[in-house]
Amino acid sequence: MPTSSRDGGGDRIILNGGGGEGDGDGGGAAARQVWVPGPVIVGAGPSGLATAACLKARGVPSLVLDKDACVAASWRERTYERLRLHLPRGFCELPLAPPFPPGTPPYPTRDQFVAYLDAYARAFAVEPRLGARVRAAAYDAAIGFWRVTVVEDSSSSSSGAMAAASSTETEFLSRWLVVATGENAEPAWPEGMEGMDAYRGAVMHTSSYKKGDEFAGKKVLVVGCGNSGMEVSLDLCNNGAATSMVIRDKIHVLPREILGISTFGLSVFLLKWFPIKWVDAMLLFFSRLILGNIEKYGLRRPKIGPLQIKCSTGKTPVLDIGALRKIKNGEIKVVPAIDCFTENGVAFVDGCREDFDAVIFATGYKSNVPSWLKEEEFFSESDGFPRKAFPHSWMGSNGLYATGFTKRGLLGTSYDAAMIAADIARRWTNALAAAADHHHHHR
């Protein structure tokens, strides 16, 4: 007999109990099946929340799943304490949301943004199913549904030593699947770093970095010179660490503001009126005026402009919040690429060797979609991104959608969420109309 599953909405039905009683080996019972009337959304970060909110506004329920124990875990747990958003708060608002509370600074702190996301989830009554890791998701053409297999650790909900080891597996069946795990699902580490096992110091990724005062008085090497590499280096330097930063690639460094206007906001405005090459030329002209010639400090600019690179590769220019001044006055030392690790430090490609107490990799993040989504037509197996570029990256076939893979931050997320919600709502309405029609004819 169908029974309602644990949820908060009360609208999901178990089709079969699966496996019966007591046949588990620490949670090895056959997966129970749960039919979800609306879409399943994987990921409870800004992308998942925005999509669920846009759907709710159109009267469509959804089930949001997330492997972590809280909403927006990557913001809450995998960012450092002093982080501020790079873009002014107006560019960081989610669709249909009230603006940030009065008194929020132009560039909100990490904690303010997390509080904003929490309030957003509350405002739209989005209650994700947390601690639910999607092991696999595949489309079943025979029934026209996505089968989403979820593993949940039941130790949190029950007590006792036996429960600690058990986990339950549930298979959710839905007509629509929204992938909202995002571009930054997992830390990306450089491959083939020779001698790393022999190195005795601390090695970490910026996703584990919390604050610079833990490194006061220590020699620290930061590998990577994107926004997080620059900001972690600045934070370390401000907290009394002797900081060196590996800069391998050419990079664009822009001031965060030009003539008191956010550089990002100015770019968005100018692109409405001028071709991208002209806007790039303007940005670089002002950057040279404000920041001076950065090439003499070991920062080589690419030949292609910052916005053109952003459009073609998704690589964001660095918006300087103070690291450049520290590089110019020698407080942050620029070093070449690592050749190999030594017991106490590293050897660089130019032959120099130096000892370091810690090495922090600011080497970015990657998508984890290929590890669980069994589908190769819409998502690329190599990088876990949709194969189509923005603005066509939000919709695949068979009711598959993607939000937050636009390489355009929260503005891209908002666009995706609105498009997905409109498309699913149309199909939802048609399905309801067809069901009502079918019911009418059979009376």
Side-chain angles (χ1 to χ4, degrees):
M1 178 185 148
T3 53
S4 244
S5 77
R6 169 177 74 82
D7 58 65
D11 55 5
R12 299 183 255 292
I13 306 298
I14 297 173
L15 299 182
N16 64 355
E21 296 287 321
D23 61 345
D25 48 285
R32 58 184 189 152
Q33 286 180 315
V34 179
W35 174 69
V36 182
V40 166
I41 299 171
V42 183
S47 298
L49 296 177
T51 308
C54 287
L55 284 162
K56 184 156 267 190
R58 290 174 175 272
V60 181
S62 62
L63 170 63
V64 183
L65 304 169
D66 198 285
K67 66 183 191 310
D68 288 294
C70 58
V71 163
S74 55
W75 283 94
R76 206 184 300 264
E77 295 174 353
R78 294 187 274 281
T79 52
Y80 61 96
E81 286 183 10
R82 294 182 184 86
L83 175 79
R84 283 180 175 271
L85 299 189
H86 293 146
L87 309 182
R89 58 174 189 255
F91 293 104
C92 300
E93 287 167 0
L94 294 181
L96 311 174
F100 280 85
T104 305
Y107 299 92
T109 65
R110 175 192 77 169
D111 293 345
Q112 285 167 333
F113 187 59
V114 167
Y116 171 82
L117 293 176
D118 284 340
Y120 185 79
R122 280 196 305 275
F124 290 95
V126 178
E127 295 176 8
R129 190 157 175 151
L130 300 169
R133 184 175 60 81
V134 175
R135 188 170 64 73
Y139 183 68
D140 187 336
I143 58 170
F145 278 80
W146 285 90
R147 293 179 178 270
V148 184
T149 310
V150 171
V151 178
E152 292 174 279
D153 188 1
S154 56
S155 58
S156 55
S157 56
S158 51
S159 57
M162 279 296 287
S166 73
S167 60
T168 55
E169 202 166 272
T170 308
E171 184 179 71
F172 293 101
L173 298 171
S174 171
R175 213 173 274 277
W176 304 286
L177 176 65
V178 181
V179 177
T181 46
E183 304 162 359
N184 303 327
E186 285 178 7
W189 292 80
E191 286 174 23
M193 276 282 180
E194 199 188 321
M196 206 157 132
D197 300 343
Y199 173 63
R200 289 178 175 178
V203 175
M204 67 163 67
H205 189 272
T206 45
S207 56
S208 311
Y209 176 87
K210 291 292 171 246
K211 49 187 180 178
D213 31 13
E214 297 164 18
F215 298 92
K218 296 203 160 109
K219 281 189 75 176
V220 185
L221 177 66
V222 177
V223 182
C225 56
N227 278 299
S228 56
M230 287 280 190
E231 291 182 23
V232 165
S233 296
L234 178 62
D235 193 45
L236 286 163
C237 193
N238 286 339
N239 284 280
T243 310
S244 298
M245 179 168 47
V246 170
I247 299 186
R248 275 188 327 194
D249 306 323
K250 295 180 175 181
I251 53 162
H252 279 299
V253 181
L254 305 176
R256 186 167 68 175
E257 293 184 341
I258 293 172
L259 309 172
I261 306 163
S262 130
T263 302
F264 181 81
L266 187 63
S267 311
V268 171
F269 173 74
L270 291 173
L271 284 171
K272 288 177 183 165
W273 305 97
F274 302 106
I276 193 165
K277 278 190 168 177
W278 290 17
V279 180
D280 270 342
M282 278 187 250
L283 292 179
L284 291 173
F285 170 76
F286 280 113
S287 292
R288 287 196 186 95
L289 212 61
I290 296 163
L291 303 175
N293 176 13
I294 65 169
E295 304 252 340
K296 59 183 180 187
Y297 302 104
L299 300 158
R300 296 167 303 140
R301 284 194 188 276
K303 293 259 190 297
I304 305 165
L307 297 180
Q308 288 172 83
I309 288 180
K310 174 75 178 151
C311 268
S312 59
T313 68
K315 196 173 176 191
T316 311
V318 172
L319 293 175
D320 180 53
I321 59 165
L324 200 57
R325 196 172 69 246
K326 303 278 188 191
I327 290 170
K328 286 178 178 177
N329 65 24
E331 287 181 72
I332 295 175
K333 187 173 153 192
V334 172
V335 293
I338 295 172
D339 179 41
C340 65
F341 275 81
T342 62
E343 204 173 311
N344 298 313
V346 302
F348 296 106
V349 289
D350 64 357
C352 293
R353 288 170 168 257
E354 206 169 331
D355 291 352
F356 291 98
D357 299 303
V359 177
I360 299 172
F361 283 97
T363 42
Y365 294 85
K366 60 181 182 181
S367 159
N368 68 2
V369 175
S371 69
W372 58 271
L373 183 66
K374 310 296 173 233
E375 188 276 346
E376 285 159 26
E377 179 197 331
F378 180 49
F379 274 93
S380 161
E381 190 71 17
S382 59
D383 65 0
F385 275 73
R387 293 180 191 274
K388 293 179 190 162
F390 178 85
H392 309 291
S393 55
W394 60 274
M395 183 181 179
S397 52
N398 301 324
L400 179 63
Y401 301 88
T403 174
F405 291 90
T406 62
K407 299 181 179 174
R408 279 167 172 71
L410 294 164
L411 287 177
T413 285
S414 297
Y415 172 86
D416 284 348
M419 296 297 279
I420 291 167
D423 194 67
I424 292 178
R426 182 174 54 80
R427 293 165 195 270
W428 169 268
T429 310
N430 291 348
L432 286 182
D437 194 41
H438 178 81
H439 180 67
H440 179 74
H441 282 308
H442 282 73
R443 284 182 69 165

